[in-house]
């Protein structure tokens, strides 16, 4: 039967029918295909004239003649129009093959084979279109059979893999691709043939014959079927996407570079330490950018030399002796542990410390690069240099990148890639330069910070008392914590000043503002305090004078206030905003608070004066700490208000604390809470003073970093009664001899016989001057502590003045003698007159030095 034709037959694609004509010219047999082609069943046509049955009327005369010729034994082939059933009278065109035949009785008949011409034309058109697509396609087109061999390939495919298109018939994927890729493609072909699921954008990599580099292809695969649906192979369309891969790789590289730069911005420069910044650079670069890296910095930069950075390598560059000394401060490696010691420069010796070395510089070592080495050239020119790979071929690409900040080379960073990584390209060179430049700026900032930090520390330390201050009758401990951790300087200060008579001035102050400017203003005020203290003024007088100094400092230039003038010479008043801005700036720097206290160890009395500062705290033995009621007054620099004094007698063993607001006040806690906490922290004043200070700082929630903290604590001890000799002398001439006698007896009682002669002489001079130039009763007092102090008091207001006596003068040389024989001397005013004093060092067992001839003659 017709339906039993094998699958894939030509009859699956064309319309073919057959019928036979008997000796009488009528249709004798009518096939089912004929019924389908002409739309007539066999019972409608068998026994009828075929011409009359399905041919148009206009061709029937000629058709009858043709049928007659055929029955006469003539073979005929031709095109015959026919009616197409069901298409509203549309005529089809059939190609008929008529072959004469004989019946069993020997009569002549005919066998007719009919082919639909329209189906043939359609097949012809499809073949032409398929050939055009297959042959003229700009993509590689290949058809694999069910055995996965190439059945057909187009010219584009042959252009890539060589030869003619027909040469590829019978080849397999192993003939085109390396084994891993061939196995992957074979597995994909097998899956497509078995499942019928198409595969799109299969990425393949291979090297065509004669090609210098690998190519990338994107392949689409789908199963091909016959007309009956039988799988007959797999079609593949391959597109060369090498350029797309290159563009994607470049885009990925650009994204990676941008990500690295973003990471570098976030991670490099978080520390102002040079070595830490170098390590941060390598943390970013390895392994994201390279496999190995190292950083060398100029030794002069690391040692803090004051010379210009540009001069660190200038001498060596001019003399050709190689680079200046560098220190390897960081290195990083992403290679396996099985390859130790592989660092940039291992082949050509660029990193060798000397000619005899065989390896690269160790971390922390100091070395030089040979003058003509790529690294030295990079340092000298400030441009990136390529370093040759090592002999083993492990490091195949290295960039020596100078670290340039503000046109100054501060060091060198080397980036290396090992075998298996892509060599550095131009984009990589630009990225390496940018990474090195960012790190260089941070390193240069760290260098500048370290220099300024050291200077600021020198300034700060010079403004604070050196070591542990000592004072007669006081045990002292102090703490200073700057709020500005970047510079470690601020505006808070404290001071301990020795005054005549074994008295001590305790000072704590706070300049409004922070940082270096506040520290400078603090230094000026502290210097003024010490100068005023040497005048031995009362505390209130010291603060009044200091207020004048502060107001002078707050004026531009330290003198008269100046306003701007126009070019025409007329006065131009500054704007209100500029005036307020300047006033705010000056007030921030030069307004200050201060508490000034003078302690007398003989009487254990302390006199306080306060300029807008927090009140002192006193903790007596067995009693809770109290805030002293000292009138606060106005801050220094405000002016216009007098300062008051408060005198307090302190018990033996009492604890006195002076402090700044950073200790007791923060944003989270009000001042009252801080003061209460401070008082509670002093509940055990009998502990060692250093322990008390540490306890206070660890107990209070100071929120350190918000403000400076200064803490000055003193434990009252007082002078022992047997260390004081105090006498009142009548205003008579015999008082001079009496004073010498009292002084002699007291010194012998103290075991200071070596000072008797000098003391008698100087006491005699001071008492004589008190009788001659002073008024009222005379008072003599000797104090023994770390030194011997002698004081002579009287009610006169005229201060003694040292002068050079003339040759003819009979007197006037007493104070010169006092100045020569004593360690120090001076005078001060008292509420009822004045006090003249001198100080002698206690004997240390060695004879006292004698006066030179020049010193003796200077008195005459």
């Amino acid at each position: 039967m017709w339906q039993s034709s094998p699958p894939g037959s030509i009859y699956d694609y064309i319309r073919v029918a057959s019928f036979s004509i008997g000796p009488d010219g009528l249709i004798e047999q009518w096939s089912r295909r004929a019924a389908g082609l002409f739309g007539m069943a066999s019972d409608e046509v068998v026994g009828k004239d075929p011409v009359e049955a399905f041919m148009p009327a206009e061709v029937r005369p000629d058709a009858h003649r043709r049928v007659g010729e055929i029955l006469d034994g003539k073979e005929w082939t031709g095109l015959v129009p026919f009616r197409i059933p069901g298409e509203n009278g549309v005529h089809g065109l059939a190609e008929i093959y008529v072959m004469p035949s004989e019946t069993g009785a020997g009569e002549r008949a005919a066998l007719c084979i009919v082919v639909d011409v329209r189906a043939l034309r359609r097949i012809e058109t499809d073949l032409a279109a398929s050939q055009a697509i297959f042959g003229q396609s700009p993509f590689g087109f290949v058809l694999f059979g069910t055995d996965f061999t190439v059945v057909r390939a187009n010219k584009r495919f042959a252009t890539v893999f060589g030869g003619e298109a027909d040469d590829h018939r019978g080849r397999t994927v192993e003939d085109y691709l390396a084994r891993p890729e061939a196995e992957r493609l074979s597995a994909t072909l097998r899956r497509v043939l078995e499942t019928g699921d198409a595969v799109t954008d299969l990425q393949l990599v291979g090297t065509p014959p004669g090609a210098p580099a690998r190519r990338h292809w994107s392949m689409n695969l789908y199963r091909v079927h016959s007309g009956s649906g039988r799988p007959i192979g797999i079609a593949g369309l391959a597109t060369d996407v090498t350029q797309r891969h290159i563009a994607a790789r470049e885009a990925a590289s650009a994204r990676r570079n941008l990500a690295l730069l973003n990471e570098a911005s976030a991670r490099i420069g978080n520390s102002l330490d040079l070595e830490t910044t170098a390590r941060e650079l390598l943390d970013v670069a390895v392994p994201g950018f390279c496999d190995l890296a190292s950083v060398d910095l100029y030794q002069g930069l690391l040692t803090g030399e004051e010379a210009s950075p540009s001069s660190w390598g200038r001498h060596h560059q001019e003399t050709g002796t190689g680079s200046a000394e560098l220190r390897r401060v960081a290195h990083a490696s992403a290679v396996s542990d099985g390859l130790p010691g592989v660092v940039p420069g291992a082949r050509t010796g660029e990193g060798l410390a000397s000619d005899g070395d065989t390896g690269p510089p160790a971390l922390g070592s100091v070395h030089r690069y040979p003058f003509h080495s790529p690294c030295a050239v990079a340092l000298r020119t400030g441009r990136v240099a390529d370093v040759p790979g090592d002999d083993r071929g492990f490091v195949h690409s290295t960039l020596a990148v100078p670290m340039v900040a503000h046109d100054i080379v501060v060091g060198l960073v080397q980036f290396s890639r090992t075998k298996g990584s892509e060599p550095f390209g131009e984009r990589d060179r630009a990225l390496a330069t940018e990474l090195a430049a960012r790190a260089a700026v941070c390193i240069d900032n760290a260098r500048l910070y370290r220099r300024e930090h050291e200077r600021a520390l020198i300034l700060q330390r010079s403004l604070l008392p050196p070591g542990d201050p000592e004072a007669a009758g006081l045990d002292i401990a102090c703490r200073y914590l700057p709020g500005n951790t970047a510079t470690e300087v601020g505006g808070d200060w404290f001071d301990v000043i020795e005054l005549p008579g074994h008295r001590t001035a305790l000072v704590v102050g706070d300049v409004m503002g922070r940082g270096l400017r506040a520290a400078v203003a603090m230094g000026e005020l502290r210097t003024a305090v010490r100068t005023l203290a040497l005048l031995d003024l009362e505390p209130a007088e010291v603060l009044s004078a200091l207020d004048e100094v502060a107001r002078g400092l707050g004026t531009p230039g330290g003198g008269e206030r100046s306003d701007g003038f126009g070019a025409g010479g007329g006065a131009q008043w500054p704007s209100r905003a500029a005036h307020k801005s300047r006033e705010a700036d000056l007030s921030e720097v030069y307004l200050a608070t201060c508490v000034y206290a003078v302690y007398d160890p003989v009487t254990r009395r302390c006199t306080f004066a306060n300029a807008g500062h927090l009140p002192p705290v006193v903790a007596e033995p067995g009693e809770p700490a109290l805030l002293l009621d000292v009138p606060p007054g106005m801050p220094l620099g405000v002016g216009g208000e007098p300062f008051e004094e408060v005198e307090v007698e302190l018990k033996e063993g009492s604890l006195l604390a002076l402090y700044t607001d950073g200790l007791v006040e923060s944003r989270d806690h009000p001042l009252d809470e801080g003061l209460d906490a401070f008082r509670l922290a002093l509940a055990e004043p009998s502990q060692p003073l250093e322990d008390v200070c540490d306890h206070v700082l660890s107990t209070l929630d100071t929120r350190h970093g918000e403000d400076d903290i200064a803490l000055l604590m003193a434990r009252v001890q007082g002078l022992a009664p047997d260390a004081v000799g105090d006498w009142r002398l009548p205003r008579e001439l015999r008082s001079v001899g009496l004073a010498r006698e009292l002084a002699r007896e007291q010194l012998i009682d103290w075991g200071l016989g070596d000072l008797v002669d000098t003391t008698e002489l100087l006491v005699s001079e001071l008492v004589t001057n008190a009788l001659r130039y002073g008024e009222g009763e005379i008072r003599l007092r000797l104090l023994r502590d770390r030194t011997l102090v002698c004081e002579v008091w009287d009610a006169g207001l005229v201060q003694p003045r040292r002068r050079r006596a003339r040759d003819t003068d009979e007197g006037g040389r007493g104070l010169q003698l006092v100045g020569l024989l004593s360690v120090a001397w001076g005078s001060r005013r008292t509420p009822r007159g004045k006090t003249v004093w001198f100080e002698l060092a206690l004997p240390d067992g060695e004879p006292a030095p004698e006066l030179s001839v020049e010193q003796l003659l200077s008195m005459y």
Side-chain angles (χ1 to χ4, degrees):
M1 296 181 62
W2 183 265
Q3 288 82 357
S4 64
S5 61
S9 170
I10 187 65
Y11 298 109
D12 292 339
Y13 302 97
I14 61 176
R15 301 179 68 185
V16 180
S18 65
F19 63 92
S20 63
I21 301 175
D24 55 0
L26 302 178
I27 297 175
E28 188 177 63
Q29 293 180 339
W30 187 254
S31 69
R32 293 181 181 179
R33 287 275 185 173
L37 177 65
F38 294 103
M40 296 178 182
S42 60
D43 57 353
E44 295 180 70
V45 294
V46 173
K48 294 184 179 180
D49 186 346
V51 175
E52 298 294 333
F54 51 84
M55 289 187 182
E58 62 270 15
V59 298
R60 288 175 183 172
D62 186 62
H64 283 293
R65 182 178 59 83
R66 295 289 184 184
V67 172
E69 293 177 353
I70 292 170
L71 293 177
D72 289 339
K74 186 176 181 180
E75 192 172 300
W76 179 79
T77 301
L79 299 176
V80 178
F82 65 94
R83 295 189 304 274
I84 299 177
E87 297 192 12
N88 299 324
V90 176
H91 291 179
L93 186 63
E95 186 174 14
I96 299 180
Y97 303 90
V98 182
M99 295 169 287
S101 63
E102 291 182 358
T103 65
E107 295 178 314
R108 292 183 177 180
L111 177 64
C112 300
I113 303 298
V114 183
V115 178
D116 189 349
V117 175
R118 290 194 310 171
L120 293 176
R121 296 287 187 272
R122 187 165 57 249
I123 291 173
E124 182 182 24
T125 302
D126 292 345
L127 289 174
S130 175
Q131 179 62 30
I133 295 174
F134 196 85
Q136 301 174 18
S137 172
F139 308 110
F141 203 102
V142 61
L143 179 63
F144 294 96
T146 55
D147 59 352
F148 307 122
T149 60
V150 176
V151 176
R152 188 177 181 185
N154 68 349
K155 291 183 178 179
R156 177 60 181 168
F157 187 87
T159 301
V160 174
F161 290 99
E164 299 295 331
D166 292 340
D167 298 338
H168 293 273
R169 294 180 184 272
R171 293 184 180 180
T172 63
V173 293
E174 285 80 5
D175 297 322
Y176 304 104
L177 300 173
R179 184 174 180 179
E181 291 289 89
E183 292 177 350
R184 192 161 63 91
L185 178 56
S186 297
T188 305
L189 290 173
R190 188 175 297 105
R191 186 173 66 252
V192 172
L193 182 62
E194 292 174 354
T195 64
D197 296 332
V199 173
T200 60
D201 197 22
L202 174 65
Q203 298 294 316
L204 298 173
V205 180
T207 305
R214 296 188 304 172
R215 309 293 294 178
H216 294 260
W217 295 283
S218 172
M219 199 164 191
N220 298 327
L221 299 171
Y222 57 93
R223 191 170 68 182
V224 179
H225 305 85
S226 67
S228 61
R230 179 177 63 89
I232 61 174
I234 304 100
L237 183 65
T239 306
D240 191 331
V241 293
T242 304
Q243 293 301 321
R244 188 173 73 186
H245 270 264
I246 294 175
R249 187 170 61 249
E250 291 181 350
S253 176
R255 288 193 298 270
R256 180 202 64 187
N257 293 351
L258 289 175
L260 280 174
L261 289 177
N262 182 60
E263 185 180 5
S265 300
R267 297 180 61 181
I268 299 177
N270 293 321
S271 170
L272 289 174
D273 180 74
L274 299 177
E275 289 82 357
T276 302
T277 302
R279 288 193 296 269
E280 290 170 347
L281 168 62
L282 299 193
D283 290 341
V284 172
V286 179
F289 177 67
C290 62
D291 302 314
L292 303 167
S294 65
V295 176
D296 299 317
L297 297 180
Y298 276 120
Q299 179 71 354
L301 180 147
L302 295 169
T303 56
E305 293 181 9
E306 289 294 332
S308 171
S310 60
S311 66
W312 287 330
R314 183 180 303 158
H315 170 72
H316 303 277
Q317 295 170 4
E318 293 174 351
T319 60
T321 58
S323 69
E325 288 187 342
L326 297 108
R327 184 192 304 172
R328 180 144 295 183
V329 297
H331 67 72
S333 172
V335 298
S336 63
D337 296 336
L339 298 169
V342 179
V343 294
R347 174 185 180 271
T348 55
E350 290 88 350
L352 302 183
S354 65
D355 295 338
D357 291 335
T358 59
L363 183 64
S365 64
V366 178
H367 60 95
R368 289 190 177 93
Y369 290 112
F371 183 77
H372 294 291
S373 66
C375 293
V377 172
L379 288 169
R380 190 161 56 250
T381 61
R383 292 191 294 270
V384 181
D386 292 305
V387 180
D390 59 15
D391 293 330
R392 294 174 294 176
F394 181 73
V395 175
H396 70 91
S397 184
T398 298
L399 296 178
V401 186
M403 306 179 73
V404 183
H406 310 113
D407 297 328
I408 295 173
V409 178
V410 298
L412 182 79
V413 56
Q414 295 182 68
F415 302 107
S416 293
R417 287 181 179 173
T418 58
K419 187 177 181 180
S421 300
E422 292 187 4
F424 291 110
E426 287 302 319
R427 183 178 284 109
D428 294 323
R429 294 169 69 93
L431 175 61
T433 302
E434 180 65 22
L435 289 175
R438 295 195 178 197
V441 170
C442 296
I443 287 175
D444 192 53
N445 290 339
R447 176 184 67 85
L448 296 175
Y449 159 76
R450 185 173 64 179
R451 185 184 67 183
E452 297 303 320
H453 181 236
E454 290 175 353
R455 292 178 178 177
L457 285 180
I458 292 173
L459 171 63
Q460 183 73 63
R461 291 164 183 167
S462 67
L463 298 177
L464 296 175
D468 295 327
E470 295 182 357
L474 292 176
D475 182 16
I476 296 177
C478 50
R479 296 289 187 274
Y480 175 78
L481 299 175
N484 189 346
T485 57
T487 60
E488 296 189 8
V489 295
D492 290 13
W493 89 93
F494 65 89
D495 208 347
V496 178
I497 307 170
E498 293 189 48
L499 299 177
H502 289 311
R503 294 172 302 134
T504 303
L506 304 176
V507 188
V508 169
D510 183 2
V511 176
M512 296 183 185
R514 306 175 73 177
L516 192 58
R517 295 183 66 194
V520 171
M522 174 268 284
E524 293 175 323
L525 293 176
R526 177 180 179 271
T527 301
V529 170
R530 295 189 70 89
T531 302
L532 294 170
L534 293 178
L535 297 178
D536 210 355
L537 302 177
E538 296 296 325
E541 293 177 325
V542 170
L543 293 186
S544 295
L546 194 62
D547 179 61
E548 294 292 334
V549 172
R551 282 190 289 166
L553 294 175
T555 305
E560 296 181 359
R561 299 182 182 271
S562 60
D563 298 312
F565 292 91
Q572 303 291 326
W573 295 102
S575 67
R576 183 182 300 274
H579 182 69
K580 289 183 177 180
S581 176
R582 183 178 66 182
E583 284 186 349
D585 182 58
L586 293 175
S587 65
E588 179 185 4
V589 175
Y590 291 111
L591 282 182
T593 63
C594 179
V595 60
Y596 185 90
V598 176
Y599 171 70
D600 188 343
V602 178
T603 62
R604 295 198 312 276
R605 301 187 69 83
C606 190
T607 305
F608 297 91
N610 193 350
H613 203 78
L614 295 174
V617 175
V618 172
E620 295 183 347
E623 299 291 337
L626 299 175
L627 298 176
L628 291 181
D629 186 12
V630 180
M634 299 298 292
L636 301 176
V638 175
E641 295 292 333
F643 298 98
E644 301 182 34
E645 292 181 358
V646 172
E647 189 176 63
V648 178
E649 182 176 349
L650 303 176
K651 294 182 179 180
E652 185 76 18
S654 298
L655 192 63
L656 173 64
L658 305 179
Y659 53 95
T660 56
D661 56 357
L663 181 68
V664 295
E665 186 177 20
S666 67
R667 297 176 182 177
D668 300 330
H669 300 282
L671 179 60
D672 291 342
E673 290 184 8
L675 290 174
D676 292 340
F678 183 31
R679 292 170 51 223
L680 291 176
L682 298 177
E684 296 293 337
S686 60
Q687 294 180 352
L689 204 54
E690 294 292 338
D691 294 344
V692 175
C693 285
D694 295 336
H695 176 69
V696 168
L697 293 178
S698 62
T699 302
L700 269 64
D701 185 11
T702 60
R703 299 287 178 178
H704 181 53
E706 295 181 0
D707 198 2
D708 307 333
I709 295 176
L711 175 62
L712 177 61
M713 304 188 74
R715 176 171 285 119
V716 175
Q717 295 175 342
L719 289 181
D722 59 357
V724 179
D726 193 353
W727 306 275
R728 298 183 181 274
L729 305 175
R731 193 169 187 79
E732 300 174 354
L733 291 178
R734 65 183 182 88
S735 294
V736 177
L738 179 58
R740 287 197 300 267
E741 182 179 352
L742 293 173
R744 182 190 313 112
E745 293 177 354
Q746 185 65 70
L747 291 181
I748 293 175
D749 186 47
W750 285 341
L752 301 177
D754 294 341
L755 299 181
V756 169
D757 294 339
T758 302
T759 304
E760 283 187 335
L761 177 60
L762 300 185
V763 165
S764 178
E765 290 294 337
L766 295 187
V767 174
T768 301
N769 286 342
L771 289 172
R772 180 177 298 178
Y773 305 109
E775 299 178 3
E777 187 181 34
I778 300 172
R779 183 180 177 185
L780 172 64
R781 188 167 73 170
L782 295 178
L783 306 176
R784 185 200 64 187
D785 193 67
R786 291 173 298 160
T787 60
L788 176 67
V789 175
C790 176
E791 298 175 331
V792 176
W793 301 5
D794 69 80
L797 298 177
V798 178
Q799 298 291 320
R801 181 173 59 88
R802 183 175 176 178
R803 62 184 179 86
R804 181 173 294 278
R806 291 173 297 183
D807 295 342
T808 57
D809 290 344
E810 296 182 357
R813 300 178 178 84
L815 293 181
Q816 293 186 40
L817 185 62
V818 173
L820 287 173
L821 297 179
S822 64
V823 174
W825 78 278
S827 66
R828 67 178 184 273
R829 290 183 301 166
T830 63
R832 296 182 178 84
K834 66 176 182 297
T835 300
V836 183
W837 57 271
F838 67 83
E839 184 176 346
L840 296 176
L842 298 182
D844 53 5
E846 296 183 1
E850 298 182 357
L851 295 178
S852 63
V853 176
E854 290 77 9
Q855 290 175 322
L856 292 173
L857 291 178
S858 66
M859 294 185 294
Y860 297 94

